[in-house]
Amino acid sequence: MAYKDLQYSLRKFESNVRSHIARKNPLQSADTLPLVMWIAEERLMLKMMRLSAEHRLRTAQAFEKWIGQQ
């Protein structure tokens, strides 16, 4: 029984710690949430621009290779 009590206590402690962290997380506060969302959107846009540039580069390389074969 002591082992089950220990497991229960550890799970309860872990749950309390996670709840405390979630409550104190500055990324989730109402004051900073718009800034966090803006940063996430900017990161996504940067990622899409990089992906687009890579796609254009590969397309240009394939086109040059195709022209070279002709």
Side-chain angles (χ1 to χ4, degrees), residues 39-55:
I39 291 171
E41 186 177 332
E42 290 294 318
R43 285 180 177 167
L44 178 62
M45 288 174 53
L46 180 61
K47 184 178 179 180
M48 289 188 316
M49 286 190 292
R50 285 181 179 161
L51 184 62
S52 177
E54 182 181 343
H55 184 266

Side-chain angles (χ1 to χ4, degrees), residues 22-65:
R23 281 192 310 269
K24 299 295 180 183
N25 187 356
L27 299 178
Q28 299 298 324
S29 80
D31 297 335
T32 59
L33 191 57
L35 178 63
V36 170
M37 295 301 291
W38 177 76
I39 291 171
E41 186 177 332
E42 290 294 318
R43 285 180 177 167
L44 178 62
M45 288 174 53
L46 180 61
K47 184 178 179 180
M48 289 188 316
M49 286 190 292
R50 285 181 179 161
L51 184 62
S52 177
E54 182 181 343
H55 184 266
R56 278 186 265 129
L57 176 66
R58 288 185 182 184
T59 302
Q61 288 173 345
F63 187 64
E64 287 177 2
K65 183 178 177 183

